[in-house]
Amino acid sequence: MLMEQSLSKIRPMSVVAQEAINYIAGRRTHEIKSLSTRWGKLNKQCMGGVEPNTVYTIAGISGSGKSSFANLLQTDLFDLNPTEQVVVLSFSLEMVGFRQVGRTLSNKLRKTTSELYSSETDLSDSDFSNVIKVANSLKKYSIYFVDDPTTPMEVEQTIKEFYESKVKGTSAHFVIVYDHALLTKQVGSVIETMSELERVFIKAKKLPSTSVIQLAQMNRNI
């Protein structure tokens, strides 16, 4: 029985080559598309944008703008790809969800977060009306937030349950955004935790039309 299970995971070249043909054909007819971002250089280097069945790692030191990048990217997936169905599962471990939305409002309204949060001068009635208008428009985006750090195994279970309930059976691009890896609840050493998390993401990217964007923090010595 064990040998039969092992053999079932082995796939011949004839099958894999046909899958390559199918993928190239789908790209040629635009049935399979990458999701565009605002960054032309990123789009060029990544087959037109966020490509299906791919894991991307964005790494930088603390304060280098990783979370801001992810925040802009998430809304770009909807704003710049209006004909595509997109579903985003955002593990916002460093910042709670409403703070992420605050950053989005800051960008779209060209206001600093200090201005939005009335830290020095109260936000005017007209500006607050604009906040409500833009925030209500964001409600239509299929972005779902996970705020609490969990173990890699719990991350895997969350992705599985979310995919089954929100994505499976649709034609949606499923994008997982993970901010950031070192905030994962540890199981054993840091290296063991990171290795298990990568296993989870490599498995997740094999789901249909699924991409993973993980943020990683370097120390200052890189």
Side-chain angles (χ1 to χ4, degrees):
M1 178 66 71
L2 184 60
M3 181 174 289
E4 288 179 1
Q5 290 177 345
S6 297
L7 289 174
S8 68
K9 297 178 181 180
I10 299 174
R11 302 161 68 238
M13 173 61 88
S14 58
V15 171
V16 177
Q18 186 58 50
E19 289 176 349
I21 292 171
N22 295 344
Y23 183 76
I24 292 169
R27 294 291 304 224
R28 181 169 177 261
T29 59
H30 304 291
E31 292 177 21
I32 300 172
K33 296 179 180 178
S34 296
L35 296 171
S36 297
T37 75
R38 68 181 62 200
W39 299 286
K41 189 173 182 179
L42 186 148
N43 293 339
K44 184 176 180 180
Q45 295 297 320
C46 298
M47 302 296 177
V50 178
E51 189 180 14
N53 309 115
T54 305
V55 176
Y56 297 92
T57 301
I58 310 299
I61 63 173
S62 178
S64 59
K66 300 183 299 297
S67 295
S68 295
F69 168 84
N71 185 272
L72 291 171
L73 178 64
Q74 284 180 172
T75 52
D76 279 356
L77 297 179
F78 297 88
D79 295 339
L80 302 182
N81 303 278
T83 63
E84 300 299 311
Q85 185 180 359
V86 181
V87 177
V88 173
L89 178 60
S90 179
F91 288 83
S92 182
L93 309 183
E94 191 167 36
M95 185 179 297
V96 293
F98 82 87
R99 296 281 187 184
Q100 289 279 19
V101 174
R103 283 191 172 190
T104 301
L105 293 171
S106 172
N107 177 261
K108 288 184 175 294
L109 293 169
R110 297 294 188 265
K111 294 280 185 183
T112 66
T113 51
S114 293
E115 290 173 317
L116 289 180
Y117 298 155
S118 303
S119 67
E120 296 180 5
T121 304
D122 289 348
L123 195 67
S124 70
D125 289 343
S126 61
D127 284 336
F128 184 57
S129 294
N130 287 333
V131 166
I132 294 173
K133 180 180 179 181
V134 175
N136 282 334
S137 73
L138 294 177
K139 291 178 181 179
K140 71 179 185 294
Y141 293 3
S142 298
I143 303 177
Y144 299 81
F145 293 92
V146 179
D147 293 337
D148 297 328
T150 56
T151 66
M153 292 75 80
E154 291 168 329
V155 171
E156 182 174 30
Q157 187 62 28
T158 299
I159 291 172
K160 179 180 178 182
E161 292 177 0
F162 182 85
Y163 179 82
E164 291 287 333
S165 65
K166 299 290 186 183
V167 184
K168 188 175 181 179
T170 73
S171 58
H173 294 261
F174 180 32
V175 181
I176 301 163
V177 179
Y178 198 88
D179 181 16
H180 60 76
L182 283 179
L183 295 178
T184 308
K185 189 182 291 185
Q186 280 190 225
V187 284
S189 69
V190 172
I191 297 232
E192 288 170 332
T193 303
M194 293 300 98
S195 297
E196 183 64 16
L197 186 64
E198 297 316 300
R199 181 196 65 78
V200 170
F201 290 154
I202 288 169
K203 183 177 180 181
K205 78 169 184 178
K206 295 179 182 179
L207 294 169
S209 299
T210 297
S211 309
V212 179
I213 301 166
Q214 63 170 332
L215 276 57
Q217 184 165 301
M218 298 176 173
N219 63 33
R220 294 195 177 273
N221 295 325
I222 312 184

